């Protein structure tokens, strides 16, 4: 695994150490903790469809006021996803998800005691701010997984979202008719409170520590992993990816110098090493500066020549995914619950909404086939082919709905489309942290997630409004176009990440991708 330098010392990187130790008990514990955060986010999102109607009838809210309860959560997530990404890239993954857990649990609990509509809006916005830290936990878990198994275990991680939606629907089914919406809000804050209780035993990401030059601390975490998994670390010294790549370049150069080489080739080799050293020098200064990296600097790094293509395409795919996912969830009820939706007689939502709790609980299980399919294809077909093929399949499922179909066929086609979009949503959350270096990983995923939140906010305002306004065909054509554009965008991603190691910085990312 390691490389011998001139003084015969062996070295290894964090990636090599994690691959050597494999996936074991330690990673299962990390999965359980990160998964609890994902359950928390899913529950807080799912409860919006239950709390809005209950509060509307209690405080006599207009439809716009009711929809604002959902919009402020998305607005908070928009800010939070960007902010917590910067915090965790600068000060560590642990600090990032600690702050998000405090904000989410406190604001979620206070929401249950909100005495009026405006305080409820304020607390739900704070909940959204905390929920924006979800990508931090995803990146933290990703950095502990061996590269060969990364796709499969990230799909397992995504399963916790589905568990959260089913759990929330089940709790609402039991609690709402008997105890009311305040109890639902209070109980839904419990998973994020568990994150706080168990925070003290969570480790920092060794990749982050190594990037910051804290290799002794990184080695200590790796030794802990080896002990819990019952394995051993590779022999030698822990080095960063950059030092590892620099050693590779030096060894290749020295071996080529021993063979018959022309002066031109020797000059070219010398140039490549000096260029690598120059990049190393730039990288170390930027790494040292990363601890003070501001939001504008981080955003500029995402839009640097090396990352701009991946970043812009990722934003487009995240927007399309969120727009399509939330749209299909809404369309499942909009298209099935009657051909009379054009007549806007649905302000009264008391008991009729109660009857639907069981239906929501059952339809939440529709995501499991999507997760199983994602697990089957992500490490076989790769990230790009998995996403693009599922986007195109989703388009095919929606085409027959442009014409009037029987209710059973409509349900089947929408479920098929939802399975496809679940696969793309799952895989993009695997691909996104893999394409960014450790120095901007959570910021990159956080910003992309923020763009996705905009898609989630726009979808009800545009697509569902078209359905209510007797323009179902126009709404479906809009979904088709967004999904098709997302699928085409995936084809233009610059590289596949299946089985590749994670990079630590922009410079090492260049070396890995060339």
């Amino acid at each position: 695994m390691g490389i011998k330098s001139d003084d015969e010392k062996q070295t290894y990187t964090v990636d090599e150490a994690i691959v050597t130790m494999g996936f074991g008990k330690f990673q299962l514990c990390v999965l359980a903790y990160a998964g609890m955060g994902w359950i928390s986010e899913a529950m807080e999102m799912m409860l919006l469809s239950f709390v809005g109607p209950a509060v509307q009838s209690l405080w006599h809210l207009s439809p716009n006021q009711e929809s604002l309860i959902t919009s402020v959560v998305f607005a908070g997530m928009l800010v939070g996803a960007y902010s917590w990404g910067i915090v965790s890239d600068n000060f560590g993954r642990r600090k990032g998800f600690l702050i998000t857990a405090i904000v989410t649990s406190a604001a979620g609990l206070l929401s249950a005691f909100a005495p009026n509509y405006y305080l409820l809006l304020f607390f739900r916005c704070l909940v959204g701010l905390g929920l924006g830290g979800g990508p931090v936990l995803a990146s933290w878990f990703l950095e502990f997984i061996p590269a060969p198994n990364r796709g499969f275990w990230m799909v397992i991680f995504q399963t916790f979202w589905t568990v959260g939606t089913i759990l929330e629907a089940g709790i609402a089914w039991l609690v709402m008719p008997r105890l009311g919406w305040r109890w639902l809000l209070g109980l839904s804050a419990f998973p994020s409170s568990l994150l706080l209780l168990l925070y003290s035993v969570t480790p920092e990401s060794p990749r982050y520590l190594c990037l910051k030059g804290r290799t002794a601390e990184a080695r200590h975490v790796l030794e802990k992993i080896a002990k819990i998994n019952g394995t051993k670390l590779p022999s030698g010294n822990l080095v960063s990816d950059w030092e590892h790549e620099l050693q590779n370049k030096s060894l290749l150069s020295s071996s080529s110098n021993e063979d018959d080489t022309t002066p031109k080739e020797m000059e070219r080799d010398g140039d490549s090493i000096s260029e690598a050293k120059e990049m190393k020098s730039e990288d170390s200064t930027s790494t040292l500066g990363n601890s003070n990296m501001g939001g504008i600097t981080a955003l500029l790094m995402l839009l640097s020549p090396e990352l701009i293509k991946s970043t812009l395409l990722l934003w487009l795919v995240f927007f399309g995914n969120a727009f399509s996912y939330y749209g299909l969830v809404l369309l499942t009820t909009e298209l099935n619950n009657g051909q009379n939706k054009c007549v806007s007689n649905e302000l009264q939502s008391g008991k009729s909404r109660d009857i639907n709790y069981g239906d929501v609980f059952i339809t939440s299980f529709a995501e499991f086939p999507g997760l199983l399919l994602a697990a089957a294809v992500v490490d076989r077909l790769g990230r790009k082919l998995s996403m693009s093929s599922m986007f195109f399949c989703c388009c095919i499922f929606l085409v027959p709905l442009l014409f009037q179909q029987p209710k059973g066929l409509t349900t089947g086609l929408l479920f098929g489309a939802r399975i496809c979009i679940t696969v793309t949503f799952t895989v993009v959350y695997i691909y996104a942290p893999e394409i960014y270096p450790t120095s901007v990983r959570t910021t990159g995923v956080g910003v992309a997630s923020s763009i996705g939140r905009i898609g989630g906010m726009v979808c009800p305002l545009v697509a569902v409004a078209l359905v209510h306004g007797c323009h179902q065909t126009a709404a479906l054509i809009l979904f088709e176009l967004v999904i098709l554009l997302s699928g085409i965008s995936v084809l233009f991603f610059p590289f596949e990440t299946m089985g590749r190691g994670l990079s630590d910085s922009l410079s090492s990312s260049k070396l890995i991708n060339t």
Side-chain angles (χ1 to χ4, degrees), residues 42 45-46 49-50 161-166 169 321-334 336 359-374 390-391 393-398 401 409-427 479 483:
M45 292 302 298
M46 189 71 177
S49 55
F50 304 125
W161 177 279
T162 303
V163 171
T165 61
I166 293 169
N321 246 323
F323 186 92
S324 309
Y325 176 84
Y326 291 113
L328 287 173
V329 171
L330 290 166
L331 279 179
T332 302
T333 54
E334 297 294 340
N336 276 333
D359 295 336
V360 174
F361 178 73
I362 292 166
T363 55
S364 297
F365 282 92
E367 292 186 16
F368 275 118
L371 291 166
L372 291 173
L373 185 56
M390 287 298 109
F391 272 126
C393 284
C394 187
C395 284
I396 293 168
F397 275 115
L398 291 180
L401 295 178
L409 182 58
T410 298
T411 301
L413 290 168
L414 285 171
F415 266 46
R418 187 167 172 183
I419 286 170
C420 293
I421 216 69
T422 297
V423 174
T424 62
F425 218 119
T426 301
V427 177
F479 279 114
I483 294 167

